[in-house]
Amino acid sequence: MKEILLIKNGELALKGLNRASFEDVLIKNIRRRLSSLGEVEISKAQSTIYIEPRDEGFDFEEALCRMSKIFGIAAFSRAAVAKKDIDEILRTSIEYLGDQLGGAKTFKVEAKRSDKSFALKSPEICKEVGAAILRAYPHLRVDVYNPDKLVVVEIRDYAAYIRCGQLKGAGGMPVGTGGRATVLISGGIDSPVAAWMMSKRGIRLDAVHFASPPYTSMRAELKVKKLLSKVAEYSTTINLAIVPFTEIQDEIAKKCKEEYFTLIMRRFMMRIAQRMALRNKSGALITGESVGQVASQTLPALAVTDSVCNLPVLRPVIGMDKEEIIKISRAIDAFDISIEPYEDCCTVFTPKHPKTRPELEKCVVEESTLDIEGLVERAIAGVRYEQID
């Protein structure tokens, strides 16, 4: 009995004439994710992607786990393949569904007949398959409203496919279809969630992290890499730039008023991140800021920060409260890493009384005492690069 994976691509069906190119990117991403499990043949038809393993030892359970983290997939399932013959469909259904129906009390059969030349219509297929299942598994009964298990028989152009329900996919758009953007990543809860959310819209990610030894430790840096690795389980490889930020923070602390520390520091971060983004042909910056969460995230403060940027600044969690952000953080298995007690450079230099309603002109005057261009150039010259998979 042949078994395959069926992939439903959901939102891509709305892409009209561009749909094929989006599907091709999704197939490329699927092939890359499954490459270490063995050779597979991938084809597409009628809003469905078919994955047929070529190796006998193919690990279906691991493949399902990986499928759940590929953006662009709305739903997926294992399915048995049968000839388009009702006797063959019945035999395959009984053989294939035994383990999956064993713990159930009720079931329902649905049939989808895209090949209208098939002799039986959908209600007749449901009746035949349902009767065969009841004969083979007398502990079951039919419940058309709230079944424990849903058996689906699809009659398509080249074969019949039998499956027991399906799993929900990650949704979104295939990574690589939405351009490229650079995320400013800290060790907190918000920025990994922001990165994940933009990746879900098909954006390929680069990342910039600001390290300030000895104020921050290597453990803080390792924490950031672990967080990015969680995001990379959904996205493609992330190129991480680690920027030395100690000199900039020391200069700000020496020459600027304390209440402006965070604002001026953030403006430097945005300047540097933008230059890194332009080098990598990124089209935008991504941050994890949420309005009002901290003093530097009021609307006036965000305006002062953004004034040094020409690229768009995307803030996907801007209107979310902390509980909403934490919910996503837990879902992508990043929360426990984010709360590890290793502080980033923003936390270390937080002023006691930060400006919540800053004026751009006053902020510019404060930072005019600094060698802005020299500090930025030296920081960029000291960047270290790593690949996060």
Side-chain angles (χ1 to χ4, degrees):
M1 179 176 56
K2 182 190 295 185
E3 189 175 18
I4 67 170
L5 293 170
L6 296 178
I7 308 296
K8 306 293 185 180
N9 53 31
E11 190 176 345
L12 302 192
L14 305 176
K15 293 301 176 183
L17 297 176
N18 295 320
R19 174 174 159 182
S21 62
F22 281 79
E23 289 177 335
D24 288 344
V25 174
L26 177 56
I27 289 172
K28 181 181 178 182
N29 291 345
I30 292 171
R31 193 181 299 280
R32 181 182 63 83
R33 290 291 185 85
L34 297 183
S35 61
S36 62
L37 299 181
E39 185 181 350
V40 295
E41 181 178 319
I42 303 179
S43 59
K44 62 178 180 177
Q46 299 171 308
S47 299
T48 301
I49 295 172
Y50 302 82
I51 303 173
E52 182 177 343
R54 291 305 190 189
D55 297 337
E56 282 197 16
F58 186 80
D59 188 340
F60 274 93
E61 290 303 318
E62 177 61 23
L64 291 175
C65 180
R66 297 185 187 187
M67 290 297 100
S68 71
K69 297 178 179 179
I70 298 178
F71 290 130
I73 295 177
F76 58 99
S77 60
R78 296 170 72 162
V81 184
K83 293 179 181 178
K84 290 193 294 183
D85 172 83
I86 190 59
D87 291 331
E88 182 69 16
I89 291 170
L90 297 181
R91 184 192 66 77
T92 302
S93 297
I94 298 307
E95 180 184 347
Y96 182 64
L97 297 173
D99 290 341
Q100 301 175 69
L101 294 174
K105 293 181 179 180
T106 61
F107 78 101
K108 173 186 176 181
V109 179
E110 283 187 357
K112 300 179 180 181
R113 189 178 65 119
S114 59
D115 179 3
K116 302 304 181 184
S117 67
F118 189 72
L120 300 179
K121 295 182 179 180
S122 295
E124 296 169 320
I125 297 169
C126 291
K127 181 179 177 181
E128 292 286 339
V129 174
I133 291 174
L134 287 172
R135 288 193 298 270
Y137 307 106
H139 71 282
L140 290 171
R141 64 181 178 84
V142 175
D143 183 344
V144 297
Y145 299 107
N146 189 31
D148 295 334
K149 297 289 184 179
L150 175 65
V151 174
V152 180
V153 179
E154 298 188 44
I155 311 297
R156 292 182 173 265
D157 290 344
Y158 302 108
Y161 303 94
I162 298 105
R163 58 183 172 85
C164 193
Q166 61 185 4
L167 300 171
K168 185 177 180 180
M173 301 299 296
V175 174
T177 59
R180 193 177 203 102
T182 296
V183 59
L184 285 75
I185 188 83
S186 70
I189 297 169
D190 304 335
S191 57
V193 170
W196 180 86
M197 291 177 69
M198 296 315 303
S199 183
K200 186 174 183 178
R201 298 315 304 162
I203 289 178
R204 194 179 301 276
L205 297 173
D206 294 315
V208 175
H209 173 65
F210 296 89
S212 296
Y215 307 116
T216 59
S217 68
M218 278 301 298
R219 287 185 175 181
E221 192 174 307
L222 290 172
K223 176 182 172 182
V224 165
K225 294 174 188 176
K226 287 194 292 182
L227 287 170
L228 284 176
S229 70
K230 291 297 181 183
V231 177
E233 290 178 11
Y234 294 84
S235 69
T236 55
T237 298
I238 300 172
N239 296 314
L240 170 63
I242 302 167
V243 180
F245 206 61
T246 308
E247 183 188 7
I248 292 174
Q249 287 189 299
D250 284 343
E251 285 293 294
I252 294 171
K254 288 177 187 175
K255 298 180 179 179
C256 301
K257 293 177 182 177
E258 183 184 359
E259 60 264 33
Y260 287 95
F261 281 3
T262 301
L263 283 167
I264 295 174
M265 182 174 62
R266 292 290 297 172
R267 283 163 63 85
F268 270 96
M269 288 179 172
M270 300 300 272
R271 289 183 179 104
I272 293 168
Q274 178 168 263
R275 294 200 191 183
M276 304 300 296
L278 292 172
R279 285 186 178 185
N280 297 326
K281 298 182 179 179
S282 281
L285 301 179
I286 302 168
T287 76
E289 290 155 320
S290 172
V291 168
Q293 192 172 117
V294 296
S296 63
Q297 295 177 19
T298 63
L299 291 181
L302 294 175
V304 168
T305 300
D306 286 2
S307 68
V308 300
C309 294
N310 296 317
L311 288 177
V313 181
L314 308 179
R315 294 184 171 96
V317 304
I318 192 72
M320 298 170 68
D321 63 35
K322 202 64 177 183
E323 287 304 313
E324 292 172 310
I325 298 169
I326 288 173
K327 183 178 180 180
I328 297 175
S329 180
R330 290 187 187 279
I332 64 175
D333 199 24
F335 181 74
D336 288 341
I337 301 170
S338 292
I339 61 174
E340 289 177 0
Y342 308 121
E343 296 180 317
D344 59 40
C345 59
C346 292
T347 308
V348 173
F349 276 79
T350 301
K352 293 179 181 178
H353 303 288
K355 285 281 186 182
T356 58
R357 296 181 178 276
E359 297 176 28
L360 176 59
E361 295 78 10
K362 291 181 179 179
C363 190
V364 170
V365 170
E366 277 298 312
E367 68 179 8
S368 66
T369 59
L370 304 170
D371 176 16
I372 294 173
E373 188 61 27
L375 288 168
V376 169
E377 288 184 359
R378 288 193 293 277
I380 292 176
V383 168
R384 290 179 286 117
Y385 297 93
E386 292 199 27
Q387 250 185 21
I388 309 295
D389 296 306

